[in-house]
Amino acid sequence: MATAARLLLLFLTAAAAGGCSASAWEMNIRLPTEMLSGGDGEGVVAPLIHALRPLLGSGGLLAARAGVACDSWRLGVEAHNVIGWKTVPARCEGYVGHYMLGGHYRRDSAVVVDEAIAYAESLKLAGNGKEIWVFDIDETSLSNLPYYAKHGFGATPYNDTSFREYVAEGSAPALPETRRLYRRLLQLDIKPVFLTGRTEDQRAITVTNLRRQGYSGWEKLLLKPAVHAAGELQGSAVAYKSGERQKLKDAGFTIIGNIGDQWSDILGAPEGARTFKLPDPMYYIG
């Protein structure tokens, strides 16, 4: 079998082994491709980004070839030891792409959500209608991978104009793991509250996108004032989100849990009774 054909077969086998079904979430992400020349002279279209297979050493070998310990860099990001960065290191673009589009990202997300559900199910709730769980939106409830797959997986500088155009499409797929948590919380009579860095002028399309992706029945959807889009009233995400959570507490709500992809989603009192951090090596918000 030609080398290119074997690579394509490895990709398909790896995806299946990783447990990634062909759901709407995956189907919304179009993999960049290239034409490879097989040993039999026939061209084969193969994905440029294939499923991350750590047991085969793909991540480690990629990091070694790049001269950057990309897997260690990602660990530093998730542990909040690497902070204040503007873009993914250029040499780690492929590594991050492998991670995000392969089964590894989904498995890591599932571990977080499994723990969150186990915690929620263990609680003795007052049942007073004031117990809430705070959800971030981008890279938490909705995935912007269709956008970032076309923009270097965070290796190119953030472009607010193009990202806002993408948000306006209302096409972001749900992160299935987070939606599973969301639905279980509703069953437990814990009310979801969305707290996002999106702005008020994006409210209508955000509501539409959330509903399209199976989210409903939330208690509140909290967004920044639209003036933030013009660069006014800028402040840290920690200050903004912790301030909004304080308003919820002052209104008599009890924050049972809090989940987000950024540390700025979950830092700053009142954080909530327990916080959960989803993986996201594509961008940093302080």
Side-chain angles (χ1 to χ4, degrees):
M1 181 184 293
T3 300
R6 288 200 298 271
L7 286 172
L8 182 57
L9 179 60
L10 175 61
F11 167 74
L12 296 172
T13 303
C20 294
S21 61
S23 68
W25 187 81
E26 286 97 357
M27 295 302 291
N28 270 328
I29 302 170
R30 296 184 179 180
L31 298 175
T33 59
E34 64 177 345
M35 184 65 70
L36 301 178
S37 177
D40 54 6
E42 295 184 1
V44 178
V45 176
L48 289 175
I49 303 296
H50 58 77
L52 177 63
R53 302 300 294 160
L55 295 180
L56 299 179
S58 62
L61 289 175
L62 178 62
R65 287 199 301 271
V68 176
C70 296
D71 50 352
S72 296
W73 176 83
R74 182 175 64 83
L75 176 61
V77 166
E78 299 300 351
H80 205 221
N81 292 321
V82 178
I83 62 174
W85 49 280
K86 301 298 183 183
T87 61
V88 170
R91 292 176 178 175
C92 295
E93 175 182 346
Y95 175 83
V96 172
H98 284 210
Y99 173 78
M100 294 302 297
L101 293 181
H104 201 162
Y105 169 62
R106 292 287 302 279
R107 290 195 301 273
D108 287 352
S109 298
V111 169
V112 176
V113 165
D114 287 346
E115 287 297 314
I117 290 176
Y119 159 70
E121 291 176 340
S122 73
L123 296 173
K124 293 183 179 179
L125 301 172
N128 58 9
K130 289 290 187 177
E131 292 157 321
I132 61 174
W133 192 294
V134 176
F135 285 79
D136 174 50
I137 291 183
D138 293 298
E139 268 56 66
T140 299
S141 304
L142 299 175
S143 170
N144 299 310
L145 262 175
Y147 174 85
Y148 283 101
K150 298 178 181 178
H151 293 82
F153 297 101
T156 58
Y158 172 74
N159 185 303
D160 187 64
T161 299
S162 65
F163 183 71
R164 289 177 69 85
E165 289 172 351
Y166 166 76
V167 169
E169 297 173 2
S171 60
L175 183 61
E177 287 70 33
T178 303
R179 187 170 54 195
R180 176 163 59 90
L181 168 63
Y182 185 97
R183 289 173 173 172
R184 182 62 182 129
L185 294 177
L186 287 176
Q187 293 172 347
L188 295 171
D189 202 27
I190 299 173
K191 299 181 181 300
V193 170
F194 288 114
L195 174 54
T196 175
R198 293 188 180 196
T199 49
E200 277 291 346
D201 56 311
Q202 297 172 315
R203 176 177 291 274
I205 193 60
T206 299
V207 168
T208 297
N209 199 160
L210 288 168
R211 287 176 175 165
R212 284 174 179 167
Q213 293 302 318
Y215 293 101
S216 61
W218 57 81
E219 179 72 14
K220 291 179 180 291
L221 170 58
L222 304 175
L223 302 96
K224 285 185 175 181
V227 288
H228 281 263
E232 301 176 34
L233 298 178
Q234 292 294 343
S236 74
V238 172
Y240 161 65
K241 291 202 167 185
S242 61
E244 292 300 310
R245 290 194 298 271
Q246 184 62 54
K247 292 176 184 178
L248 290 169
K249 184 177 179 181
D250 292 345
F253 290 103
T254 300
I255 304 174
I256 297 296
N258 181 7
I259 187 167
D261 66 295
Q262 300 289 317
W263 280 92
S264 55
D265 295 329
I266 58 179
L267 291 178
E271 299 90 346
R274 187 166 174 186
T275 61
F276 295 87
K277 167 70 170 65
L278 286 165
D280 182 3
M282 296 190 298
Y283 57 83
Y284 173 86
I285 299 176

